[in-house]
């Protein structure tokens, strides 16, 4: 009976990082999507107010979007390392 209890506790402890990693990866992906959506919204509003700087805004938005995606990829990889 003691062996069975010990095995069940070890199995539960091994599953907790997997659940945490999966939830973390989901939260990171959702946050990156919201961030890029907010970025696109702000760029569209700014280029509607001042159309003459739309080209510069587009370039800046692409750079910032790439940085957000890079951070998201790094965070998802860290979460996946917790799973495996």
């Amino acid at each position: 009976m003691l062996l069975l209890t010990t095995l069940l506790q070890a199995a539960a402890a091994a599953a907790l990082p997997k659940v945490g990693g999966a939830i973390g990866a989901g939260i990171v992906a959702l946050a990156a999507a919201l961030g890029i959506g907010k970025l696109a919204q702000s760029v569209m509003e700014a280029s509607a107010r001042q159309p003459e700087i739309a080209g510069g805004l587009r370039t800046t938005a692409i750079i910032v979007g790439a940085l957000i995606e890079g951070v998201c990829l790094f965070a998802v990889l860290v979460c996946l390392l917790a799973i495996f």
Side-chain angles (χ1 to χ4, degrees):
M1 188 64 160
L2 181 62
L3 179 63
L4 180 61
T5 305
T6 305
L7 287 175
L8 286 175
Q9 288 176 350
L16 191 60
K18 293 182 180 185
V19 172
I23 291 173
I27 290 172
V28 166
L30 182 65
L34 291 174
I36 290 177
K38 178 67 176 162
L39 172 70
Q41 175 188 0
S42 299
V43 168
M44 288 297 139
E45 288 177 0
S47 61
R49 289 184 185 141
Q50 292 183 335
E52 64 274 1
I53 62 167
L57 288 174
R58 187 179 311 119
T59 304
T60 304
I62 289 172
I63 292 170
V64 172
L67 291 173
I68 292 172
E69 286 293 324
V71 169
C72 176
L73 177 65
F74 179 71
V76 167
L77 287 176
V78 169
C79 290
L80 288 178
L81 285 175
I83 292 175
F84 298 111

